[in-house]
């Protein structure tokens, strides 16, 4: 298993454990790099901290004293810890570099890195890319924000084995040297402002995916976003655009019937198994990457005819008395839910709600052309209802829990309706993750 060689830092603080912090700590320990751990969970309830304490590592838990930064020349931060955190602010005051474990993985990977980011569609695009490369015989690995910690994957990677990484703005904000051989910007919409505070900071973090690229690298980007088109011109990488709205001879595009790469027909749209026009962006990116690895068209076509998506992303769950039920728990922002409801022509019973991040929901309500009823739950329920009242949309019912929302959605539905769980909010008011939330919804559907 790989370890860090010629690592330029002598004393590291691992701030926050969870999966990425544990992986970073284990890598540092195995590499004989001096480090300490600081985690808020008290050690008596913290099995990971206990393990490293028993190994002789300095562990500080239960609070965040500024002394944990003494003699430290690097902070490896859990991506979810905001920059307003007291230790992060103090580290910046002391000019101590801050990275996430994704940056550590860059020291280990020996082979092509494909890094994918965007406000929506990251997981679907990353998974589709992985499937395309696997079908092409390339034995890829998948890592990053998709559930597999990048450093753990990097430690097992063999020479020249491609690594496909889904990266969030949280991860990309804290990089020093990390650069992909192929970077992808799927789209940019307003998101995570509770963390980034401003759109400039959010977008700047996303653009870090190409910050250190050079003329030997490639950046695949959405040519339908004029703002993004202007920003990527500063990249030193070779630019490859894609478009779902018009002809684009220098890259990838679609028309009413077909999908093209450099004017070469790749697949007919009615042969694609992945539902929803919004998924065309993800498909074009997957094709673009596959073509860079010279994967034959017939192989690409075979994957696109069978790939139906990923769990918690517009996932078909069941048909109950002629109601079609979909789980889109990964829709943690309004833009993602807009795309979900636009994927259906049938009447929709929408279940939405979750953590109140300060968003207003007028844009969502105004797109309720096919939404017969919205069942809103959780912290954001009252805000969704208020947005409905402002926009003269009266068919909104509020409940407290996801269980109540699921039962109510079925009660008000009719044969032929789509029951769509697409929250437009983060999960953290009632769940630890969107995965836990989606799994709960699936269980509730099966109980029905």
């Amino acid at each position: 298993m790989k370890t860090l060689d010629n690592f330029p830092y002598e004393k590291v603080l691992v701030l926050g454990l969870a999966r990425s912090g544990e992986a970073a700590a284990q890598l540092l320990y195995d590499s004989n790099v001096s480090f300490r751990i600081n985690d808020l969970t008290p050690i008596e309830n913290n099995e990971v901290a206990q393990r490293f304490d028993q190994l002789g590592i300095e562990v500080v838990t239960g609070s965040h004293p500024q002394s944990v930064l003494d003699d430290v020349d690097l902070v490896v931060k859990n991506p979810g810890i905001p920059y307003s955190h007291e230790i992060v602010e103090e580290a910046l005051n002391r000019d101590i570099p801050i990275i996430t474990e994704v940056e550590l993985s860059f020291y280990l990977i020996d082979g092509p890195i494909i890094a994918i980011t965007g406000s929506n569609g990251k997981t679907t695009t990353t998974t589709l890319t992985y499937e395309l490369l696997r079908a092409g015989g390339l034995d890829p690995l998948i890592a990053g924000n998709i559930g597999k910690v990048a450093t753990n994957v990097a430690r097992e990677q063999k020479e020249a084995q491609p690594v496909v990484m889904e990266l969030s703005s949280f991860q990309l904000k804290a990089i020093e040297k990390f650069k992909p051989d192929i970077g992808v910007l799927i789209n940019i919409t307003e998101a995570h402002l509770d963390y980034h505070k401003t759109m400039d900071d959010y977008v700047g973090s996303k653009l870090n995916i190409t910050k250190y690229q050079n003329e030997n690298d490639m950046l695949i980007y959405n040519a339908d976003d004029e703002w993004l088109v202007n920003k990527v011109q500063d990249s030193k990488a070779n630019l490859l655009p894609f478009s779902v709205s018009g002809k684009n001879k220098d890259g990838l595009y679609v028309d009413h019937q077909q999908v093209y790469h450099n004017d070469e027909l790749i697949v007919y749209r009615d042969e694609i198994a992945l539902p929803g026009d919004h998924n065309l962006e993800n498909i074009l990116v997957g094709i673009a990457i596959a073509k860079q690895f010279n994967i034959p068209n017939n192989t690409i076509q075979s994957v696109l005819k069978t790939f139906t998506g990923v769990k918690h992303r517009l996932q078909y769950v069941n048909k109950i008395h002629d109601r079609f039920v979909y789980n889109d728990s990964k829709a943690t922002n309004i833009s993602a839910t807009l795309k979900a409801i636009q994927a259906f022509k049938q009447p929709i019973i929408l279940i939405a709600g979750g953590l109140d991040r300060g968003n207003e929901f007028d844009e969502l309500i105004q797109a309720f052309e096919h939404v017969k009823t919205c069942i809103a739950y959780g912290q954001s329920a009252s805000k969704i209802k208020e947005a409905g009242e402002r926009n003269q949309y009266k068919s909104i019912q509020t409940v407290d829990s996801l269980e109540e929302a699921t039962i109510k959605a079925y009660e008000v539905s009719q044969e032929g309706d789509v029951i769509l769980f697409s929250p437009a909010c983060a999960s953290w008011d009632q769940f630890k993750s969107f995965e836990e939330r989606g799994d709960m919804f699936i269980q509730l559907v099966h109980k029905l």
Side-chain angles (χ1 to χ4, degrees):
M1 187 175 285
K2 297 179 188 175
T3 57
L4 296 167
D5 295 324
N6 302 315
F7 192 59
Y9 298 100
E10 295 181 356
K11 180 72 173 182
V12 180
L13 170 65
V14 175
L15 181 62
L17 285 171
R19 289 184 300 174
S20 68
E22 181 181 3
Q26 189 63 54
L27 174 61
L28 293 168
Y29 179 81
D30 293 343
S31 304
N32 295 316
V33 176
S34 177
F35 70 99
R36 69 168 61 100
I37 292 170
N38 181 213
D39 190 74
L40 190 58
T41 303
I43 196 163
E44 56 267 23
N45 302 319
N46 195 328
E47 292 182 5
V48 176
Q50 291 173 21
R51 181 167 66 84
F52 281 104
D53 182 60
Q54 291 167 5
L55 291 172
I57 301 300
E58 181 185 354
V59 177
V60 180
T61 63
S63 65
H64 296 296
Q66 292 189 358
S67 58
V68 296
L69 291 169
D70 293 349
D71 303 320
V72 162
D73 58 359
L74 177 71
V75 174
V76 180
K77 180 183 77 67
N78 183 290
I81 295 175
Y83 279 71
S84 58
H85 188 280
E86 58 212 277
I87 297 299
V88 178
E89 287 186 337
E90 180 61 22
L92 293 173
N93 288 337
R94 299 189 191 187
D95 293 323
I96 300 172
I98 298 171
I99 64 170
T100 63
E101 60 84 30
V102 166
E103 179 73 23
L104 290 179
S105 73
F106 189 62
Y107 286 88
L108 304 174
I109 296 174
D110 181 15
I113 298 174
I114 301 104
I116 297 168
T117 197
S119 299
N120 297 301
K122 296 186 295 296
T123 300
T124 299
T125 304
T126 303
T127 307
L128 174 59
T129 299
Y130 168 80
E131 294 295 341
L132 286 164
L133 298 184
R134 190 167 69 90
L138 294 172
D139 192 23
L141 299 170
I142 192 165
N145 198 42
I146 200 167
K148 299 187 177 182
V149 179
T151 45
N152 287 345
V153 172
R155 298 187 73 180
E156 301 288 348
Q157 183 238 6
K158 301 171 185 175
E159 185 177 357
Q161 195 173 16
V163 180
V164 187
M165 305 178 75
E166 175 192 330
L167 297 181
S168 70
S169 59
F170 301 174
Q171 293 164 314
L172 286 167
K173 182 174 172 63
I175 61 171
E176 273 194 326
K177 297 179 180 179
F178 177 88
K179 77 172 186 70
D181 299 271
I182 300 175
V184 176
L185 283 162
I186 308 170
N187 47 50
I188 298 288
T189 59
E190 185 175 301
H192 301 305
L193 295 190
D194 55 330
Y195 182 98
H196 289 283
K197 307 304 180 187
T198 67
M199 273 298 288
D200 283 344
D201 187 73
Y202 172 63
V203 173
S205 299
K206 290 289 191 186
L207 286 168
N208 278 347
I209 200 165
T210 191
K211 184 175 182 179
Y212 299 109
Q213 285 189 304
N214 58 42
E215 63 278 1
N216 297 316
D217 304 316
M218 172 168 285
L219 179 65
I220 301 168
Y221 70 95
N222 191 335
D224 296 330
D225 186 329
E226 290 184 14
W227 184 91
L228 190 56
V229 169
N230 292 330
K231 288 291 184 181
V232 300
Q233 301 309 315
D234 294 331
S235 172
K236 295 178 182 178
N238 294 297
L239 301 178
L240 181 62
F242 68 87
S243 170
V244 298
S245 64
K247 197 166 183 179
N248 180 22
K249 289 187 176 181
D250 295 325
L252 297 99
Y253 65 95
V254 299
D255 62 20
H256 293 300
Q257 295 181 317
Q258 298 158 321
V259 178
Y260 295 91
H261 172 266
N262 290 340
D263 270 351
E264 177 190 15
L265 172 63
I266 303 298
V267 67
Y268 288 93
R269 287 178 60 169
D270 61 6
E271 296 178 318
I272 296 172
L274 192 60
D277 288 348
H278 66 287
N279 276 314
L280 289 171
E281 292 180 351
N282 311 325
I283 289 164
L284 290 178
V285 170
I287 293 171
I289 295 169
K291 296 297 281 186
Q292 295 305 307
F293 286 90
N294 298 313
I295 294 174
N297 287 352
N298 61 343
T299 302
I300 296 172
Q301 292 161 6
S302 177
V303 173
L304 294 178
K305 289 175 183 179
T306 56
F307 180 77
T308 57
V310 298
K311 193 176 183 182
H312 308 303
R313 170 55 80 200
L314 214 56
Q315 172 196 5
Y316 176 66
V317 179
N318 208 349
K319 181 181 179 183
I320 305 176
H321 299 295
D322 289 325
R323 284 87 161 159
F324 301 87
V325 186
Y326 287 83
N327 164 35
D328 195 37
S329 181
K330 201 175 189 300
T332 58
N333 58 56
I334 291 170
S335 176
T337 297
L338 285 171
K339 291 186 176 183
I341 63 178
Q342 290 163 0
F344 299 98
K345 298 295 188 286
Q346 305 99 309
I348 296 170
I349 310 298
L350 176 67
I351 302 172
L355 183 72
D356 183 359
R357 280 176 149 170
N359 291 328
E360 302 298 335
F361 293 90
D362 298 77
E363 182 185 7
L364 181 63
I365 302 296
Q366 290 161 10
F368 276 7
E369 181 181 356
H370 297 295
V371 178
K372 288 170 52 178
T373 301
C374 175
I375 313 298
Y377 82 98
Q379 277 187 9
S380 297
S382 60
K383 277 197 167 183
I384 294 172
K385 188 172 180 62
E386 289 166 7
E389 292 170 352
R390 285 194 299 272
N391 291 276
Q392 288 76 53
Y393 183 88
K394 298 179 180 180
S395 188
I396 296 180
Q397 300 186 36
T398 60
V399 296
D400 292 329
S401 69
L402 179 56
E403 181 175 11
E404 292 174 272
T406 305
I407 294 170
K408 180 63 69 175
Y410 178 74
E411 288 176 348
V412 303
S413 67
Q414 297 176 317
E415 292 183 4
D417 288 351
V418 167
I419 298 174
L420 172 63
F421 176 45
S422 189
C425 301
S427 60
W428 304 319
D429 61 334
Q430 297 183 4
F431 300 95
K432 293 180 181 178
S433 65
F434 73 81
E435 293 98 336
E436 181 183 79
R437 177 173 67 181
D439 288 338
M440 172 63 77
F441 177 69
I442 292 169
Q443 291 173 24
L444 293 168
V445 171
H446 290 321
K447 284 184 180 179
L448 289 175

